Amino acid sequence: MRLLVVSNGVVENVISAPEGFTVEGKTVAQHPSAQIGWLYDGGTFTPPPAPACTQTDVIAERETRLAAGFDYDFGDARGIHHIATTADDMKKWQEVTDSANALINLGQGTQTITIATQTGPVDVTAMEWQAILVAAAQFRQPIYQASFALMAMDPILDDFATHPIWDA
């Protein structure tokens, strides 16, 4: 028989034992689906409350959203490209940014650089790369702002991951 060993109102063990089994100083009860950690009030088993959301949870959601990337429309035959923004991608962006800045400083802002997007390779001028950087900021900054607003809440909302604040 499936039995639950309860201490101080919390299921601490699930065992298989014969009916009538007892444990000194503990409550032994039967329930078909209660698990370790469930609460018991002497008559009813209930799942434990969900753990409170933490700033670490919000940061993880923010990082997931930041890594999703964004679509950039070149406004010409190159069309729309999905620009990757994982942490690794962002490190690689620095090399392109350094190259673009050097070209602009040399007065060669129309010189092209080939980049790899999730849509495929594409040639961009040094000045176009600057426009992509602006678009990236427009994509990323609202995500940071939403995460900061959520982390400032006490308590943090249970539905923080799906809250409309991310879409503002």
Side-chain angles (χ1 to χ4, degrees), residues 92-165:
K92 294 173 184 170
W93 279 42
Q94 189 59 53
E95 186 173 338
V96 177
T97 300
D98 290 346
S99 296
N101 289 343
L103 289 167
I104 291 167
N105 288 336
L106 291 171
Q108 298 175 19
T110 58
Q111 180 71 34
T112 61
I113 304 165
T114 302
I115 63 170
T117 70
Q118 289 184 321
T119 309
V122 63
D123 288 335
V124 298
T125 66
M127 291 305 292
E128 286 174 328
W129 180 251
Q130 302 303 309
I132 291 170
L133 293 175
V134 170
Q138 291 169 340
F139 162 72
R140 295 169 65 83
Q141 287 307 305
I143 295 171
Y144 278 109
Q145 291 167 2
S147 73
F148 297 151
L150 287 164
M151 288 189 295
M153 294 179 181
D154 186 19
I156 294 172
L157 302 173
D158 288 338
D159 70 343
F160 76 91
T162 58
H163 194 276
I165 195 168

Side-chain angles (χ1 to χ4, degrees), residues 22-36:
T22 62
V23 176
E24 188 176 332
K26 310 271 183 184
T27 300
V28 178
Q30 186 177 0
H31 189 275
S33 59
Q35 300 294 321
I36 293 173

Side-chain angles (χ1 to χ4, degrees), residues 68-72 74 81-85 93 115 117-119 132:
F70 64 96
D71 290 334
Y72 183 81
F74 284 97
H81 280 250
H82 190 76
I83 308 293
T85 56
W93 279 42
I115 63 170
T117 70
Q118 289 184 321
T119 309
I132 291 170

